[in-house]
Amino acid sequence: QVEVVESGGGLVQAGGSLKLSCAASGSIFAINAMGWYRQVPGKERELVAQITSGGGTNVADSVNGRFTISRDNAKNTAYLQMNGLKPEDTAVYYCACDVRRFHSYDNIFRYWGQGTQVTVSS
């Protein structure tokens, strides 16, 4: 019904930048919120940034000032611009979309992307 596809991860040197994209497609009436999470082995998945349909954002303190989340509602796509990357930013980054579907209008389903690896070398 809904597919979430991420792109933009890769290997970058410390201080560099990457821009992640998260595109949702399928039977989507609306996406209430989109968010980026990250996880490293042995640690809990943590919220990096989230954005509402109206553009309101919450950004984790650890990345505030370096990462910017945005979205293009016409494309059902969210972005995470990551600047000033640090080795500690190395993680698998996941996109989450809270979706209202046409056939299930009153329910919100969370869909996750497959995760994209971001590796920051020192």
Side-chain angles (χ1 to χ4, degrees), residues 3-4 32 44 47 74 97 105 109 118:
E3 183 179 21
V4 178
N32 287 4
E44 184 179 351
L47 176 67
C97 304
Y105 179 86
F109 298 85
V118 172

Side-chain angles (χ1 to χ4, degrees), residues 7-21 36 66-70 79-86 89-91 93 116-121:
S7 62
L11 175 65
V12 66
Q13 294 182 346
S17 298
L18 286 172
K19 187 174 184 178
L20 306 183
S21 297
W36 289 95
R66 298 188 296 119
F67 292 7
T68 302
I69 189 170
S70 61
Y79 307 93
L80 186 68
Q81 179 66 52
M82 304 186 294
N83 298 325
L85 284 163
K86 304 175 181 179
D89 295 319
T90 296
Y93 284 71
T116 184
Q117 178 70 47
V118 172
T119 302
V120 184
S121 62

Side-chain angles (χ1 to χ4, degrees), residues 1-2 26-30 99-107 109 111:
Q1 292 180 322
V2 176
S27 184
I28 298 171
F29 173 77
V99 177
R100 296 181 66 189
R101 305 183 305 202
F102 281 109
H103 67 281
S104 187
Y105 179 86
D106 293 327
N107 295 324
F109 298 85
Y111 292 90

Side-chain angles (χ1 to χ4, degrees), residues 2-81:
V2 176
E3 183 179 21
V4 178
V5 179
E6 303 164 346
S7 62
L11 175 65
V12 66
Q13 294 182 346
S17 298
L18 286 172
K19 187 174 184 178
L20 306 183
S21 297
C22 169
S25 61
S27 184
I28 298 171
F29 173 77
I31 303 177
N32 287 4
M34 307 180 78
W36 289 95
Y37 296 73
R38 66 186 182 186
Q39 187 171 26
V40 299
K43 297 186 67 176
E44 184 179 351
R45 186 173 299 185
E46 65 174 352
L47 176 67
V48 177
Q50 62 184 20
I51 185 167
T52 68
S53 60
T57 63
N58 288 304
V59 182
D61 183 69
S62 60
V63 303
N64 191 29
R66 298 188 296 119
F67 292 7
T68 302
I69 189 170
S70 61
R71 65 189 287 170
D72 184 340
N73 288 336
K75 298 180 179 179
N76 286 326
T77 300
Y79 307 93
L80 186 68
Q81 179 66 52

